[in-house]
Amino acid sequence: MVEPLQTVDANWLIQQPRREPVWVVEDLMPAGLHLLTGAPKIGKSWLVLDLALAVSAGRPFWGYATRRCGVLYLALEDTLARIQGRMWGLSDTASERLCFALNSRSIADGLVDQLDDFAEGHEDTGLVIVDTLQKVRALKGFADEYGLAILAVHHTRKTGDDDVFNTVSGTTCTTGSADSTFVLAKQGRASEYATLSLTGRDVEFQELKLRFNDSPIKNGSRSRRSHPNLAYKSQTI
């Protein structure tokens, strides 16, 4: 027997309190499923690690307020040594709220169950980063169930397009599942300047101008390299 449709009437709905987005990064990333896309080796992993460090510590990210919460970073194409090197390049401190995993199951083989188990054991989890992921649709329900943000790192196609969001690999099925999409693009592979374009259901279209600073900044025995510095929304570089 076919299950009947579950409906609500308009009179009931219009009287309910308005549900405002729960922001992980105010005006940039609410709870839900989000995509960060860009060409390989463009700096996506630096960007999301900087985000993870900021959110887990509750400090502003590029001047945007964050909600201090637990962060799970699935660094599926990395090693702990590379992650450590990036952290040394970005910050002197890190929060125990930020956890890393180098391996996970695929979506078809139990990734959502693994995330569910982690979230139940870490109740303050507010952000999950998956770097990188090919199929994202199954994560949307998990993000909505727990009211947290999932940022999945993905690739763009090699061919260009007048609409930057059409360059996302697997555009229709991939971006259609996400609440928002970020596209990171450089003026050229060797350029230090990049544009981060953003569109989504609960966020306004934005284009942020970034500069990836390759000048080493000495910090004891370490040097900070290649981390993104934001030139704010409407500012030109």
Side-chain angles (χ1 to χ4, degrees):
M1 182 178 178
V2 177
E3 294 183 2
L5 292 173
Q6 302 296 315
T7 64
V8 298
D9 68 76
N11 180 59
W12 174 87
L13 182 59
I14 202 170
Q15 297 181 59
Q16 303 309 304
R18 179 180 173 86
R19 297 184 62 181
E20 298 293 341
V22 177
W23 296 99
V24 175
V25 182
E26 190 171 358
D27 295 331
L28 265 187
M29 186 176 296
L33 175 63
H34 312 278
L35 296 179
L36 170 64
T37 67
K41 312 300 182 185
I42 198 175
K44 300 187 298 294
S45 294
W46 280 95
L47 193 157
V48 296
L49 178 58
D50 197 17
L51 170 67
L53 289 166
V55 171
S56 60
R59 61 174 172 79
F61 179 66
W62 299 341
Y64 293 89
T66 65
R67 176 169 61 91
R68 187 183 186 189
C69 59
V71 179
L72 171 62
Y73 187 158
L74 302 184
L76 304 180
E77 295 183 349
D78 258 320
T79 65
L80 289 178
R82 283 202 294 266
I83 296 169
Q84 183 186 53
R86 291 190 194 115
M87 282 200 295
W88 283 350
L90 290 168
S91 180
D92 296 326
T93 61
S95 171
E96 61 184 11
R97 288 183 174 85
L98 172 55
C99 297
F100 298 97
L102 303 184
N103 297 284
S104 75
R105 294 182 178 179
S106 67
I107 288 180
D109 192 36
L111 173 59
V112 173
D113 290 336
Q114 287 183 314
L115 296 179
D116 187 83
D117 181 69
F118 181 87
E120 288 188 356
H122 300 77
E123 295 183 355
D124 70 334
T125 301
L127 173 63
V128 176
I129 296 171
V130 185
D131 183 5
T132 62
L133 191 70
Q134 294 300 317
K135 297 180 179 179
V136 300
R137 184 175 300 175
L139 296 180
K140 169 63 176 166
F142 176 82
D144 290 343
E145 178 182 354
Y146 280 91
L148 51 75
I150 295 179
L151 178 60
V153 179
H154 196 51
H155 297 304
T156 50
R157 294 185 283 106
K158 292 182 179 179
T159 55
D161 195 284
D162 291 338
D163 184 344
V164 68
F165 297 103
N166 288 337
T167 66
V168 179
S169 181
T171 298
T172 302
C173 63
T174 303
T175 59
S177 301
D179 293 297
S180 64
T181 301
F182 300 76
V183 178
L184 182 64
K186 282 188 175 180
Q187 297 175 7
R189 180 165 293 278
S191 174
E192 62 183 3
Y193 299 111
T195 300
L196 184 67
S197 303
L198 164 64
T199 187
R201 296 187 176 100
D202 294 314
V203 295
E204 296 181 358
F205 170 76
Q206 301 178 55
E207 284 190 344
L208 308 181
K209 301 299 182 181
L210 308 181
R211 180 183 180 187
F212 285 77
N213 182 5
D214 287 326
S215 301
I217 303 173
K218 295 297 183 181
N219 176 32
S221 60
R222 308 170 188 167
S223 64
R224 300 180 181 179
R225 298 184 63 87
S226 303
H227 56 285
N229 293 324
L230 178 67
Y232 285 91
K233 300 178 185 177
S234 59
Q235 181 176 341
T236 55
I237 298 178

